[in-house]
Amino acid sequence: MKMNKFWLLSAFLVFVLVLAGCGNGEDDTADDGAEEDATETEEDGAEETTDDGGEAEGETPDFLTLLTGGTSGTYYPLGGEMASNISNETGIQTDALSSNASADNIVDLQNGEAELAMVQTDTVAQAVDGEGAFEGEEVDNVLGLGSLYPETVQIVTTADSGIESIEDLEGMTVSVGAPGSGTFYNAEQILEIHDLSMDDIDAQNLDFGESTGGIQDGNIDAAIITGGTPTGAVEELSATADLRILPVEQDKIDELIDQYPFYAEDTIEAGTYGIEEDVTTVAVMAMIAVSDSLSDDVVYDITAAIYENADSMAHARAEDITVETALDGVGIDLHPGAQNYFDEQGVETD
């Protein structure tokens, strides 16, 4: 009986010791887990802080938007090809979107609704200076990436319209471009030089396709179209009608350039749209404007993608997109990323 009590007491003591050991193990595990959680939290916090700081200095976006113009003009098809090259070369998905072109594109860049835009050099210069359509409202967050090609002012009518000069537009129904487009402001300036205004014509705010469609249907008499030649909508019209492109006379060209230095003399060559003789006119440059929110590295890569792959594009105006002429007519500050690229190529700023 005494032996039985002894064994019972021994077993009880062993059981207590085992329980104590288990209890200490659970406490250690809980402490270890708390320490690991605390360590992970501190590390996560440190990583988050580092990442946020890095993104603020040079974030690479997943997507980019390139604003172009109307689907019947030059901007849209050419912009689509450039967007493809940017996507392929940088790995950043870039989409080309149709728009009302220059002035509206600048406003969208200013408001952060896009990162890249095709614009006219004259319009973006006015925006930065707070002139023209941007009177008193300077745009201070849009920079230049580079120029592309000459945009020719084409004053289009039909051979049987009876309109032979710009002065003959008085009293006529004339498309002057979509509201907010560079074409609209070119129309104002061309009319002004010829002692006319929007009040002297029946002005219609139509895009290129609507303009040439209106001429074909007889609803409008003429259209002022600023775009790289040949412009798709005008080519389509020339397939169904004999066209006349109104010239800008030399004295008016000189007067226009004197008052608005961003213009240059230009020629629409015989054979274009089926015309029989060269037509003298004026042009501004198309260019790429960019939001200053993009990092230098991203803009450097975009610039390289555009100018080093222009020969892969099918559009006729692509042959004008060269590194050597990329700074022609750019009247605003370049983005540092674009400046770095052109510095490496040995291209000097005008």
Side-chain angles (χ1 to χ4, degrees), residues 115-130:
E115 295 77 31
L116 304 163
M118 300 178 72
V119 299
Q120 290 178 198
T121 51
D122 57 324
T123 306
V124 73
Q126 290 173 341
V128 170
D129 293 337

Side-chain angles (χ1 to χ4, degrees), residues 97-301:
L97 301 184
S98 175
S99 72
N100 281 337
S102 292
D104 280 4
N105 288 356
I106 294 165
V107 171
D108 286 344
L109 281 183
Q110 182 184 29
N111 294 336
E113 296 176 19
E115 295 77 31
L116 304 163
M118 300 178 72
V119 299
Q120 290 178 198
T121 51
D122 57 324
T123 306
V124 73
Q126 290 173 341
V128 170
D129 293 337
E131 299 174 350
F134 298 87
E135 185 70 39
E137 298 179 1
E138 295 94 340
V139 174
D140 61 3
N141 60 344
V142 173
L143 298 169
L145 185 145
S147 64
L148 301 171
Y149 62 88
E151 290 204 274
T152 305
V153 178
Q154 307 164 71
I155 307 173
V156 182
T157 186
T158 59
D160 60 2
S161 67
I163 301 172
E164 298 184 358
S165 69
I166 294 174
E167 288 84 356
D168 290 340
L169 295 176
E170 185 173 4
M172 298 293 182
T173 303
V174 183
S175 173
V176 294
S181 69
T183 295
F184 180 87
Y185 300 107
N186 296 148
E188 275 193 326
Q189 292 152 4
I190 294 289
L191 291 172
E192 175 192 347
I193 291 299
H194 291 83
D195 298 319
L196 297 171
S197 71
M198 292 293 180
D199 293 334
D200 295 315
I201 62 174
D202 180 10
Q204 302 294 308
N205 298 117
L206 307 176
D207 66 23
F208 294 170
E210 292 168 336
S211 297
T212 55
I215 291 175
Q216 185 174 20
D217 297 339
N219 295 324
I220 65 173
D221 301 303
I224 299 176
I225 292 174
T226 302
T229 57
T231 303
V234 183
E235 276 194 307
E236 291 177 11
L237 179 61
S238 70
T240 61
D242 292 330
L243 300 187
R244 175 177 290 136
I245 310 295
L246 303 182
V248 182
E249 301 299 335
Q250 189 63 54
D251 62 329
K252 295 299 184 182
I253 291 176
D254 295 340
E255 186 178 348
L256 185 68
I257 294 173
D258 183 61
Q259 187 160 340
Y260 300 105
F262 42 73
Y263 282 102
E265 184 174 345
D266 198 11
T267 300
I268 303 173
E269 296 181 354
T272 308
Y273 311 130
I275 61 176
E276 296 181 354
E277 297 179 350
D278 290 352
V279 175
T280 58
T281 184
V282 291
V284 292
M285 293 294 289
M287 67 174 286
I288 297 285
V290 58
S291 168
D292 67 1
S293 64
L294 291 179
S295 73
D296 293 0
D297 288 343
V298 168
V299 174
Y300 179 99
D301 291 342

Side-chain angles (χ1 to χ4, degrees), residues 64-68 79-80 82-83 86 94-97 114 116-118 288:
L64 292 171
T65 296
L66 170 62
L67 298 175
T68 61
M82 286 193 292
I86 295 170
T94 305
D95 296 321
L97 301 184
L116 304 163
M118 300 178 72
I288 297 285

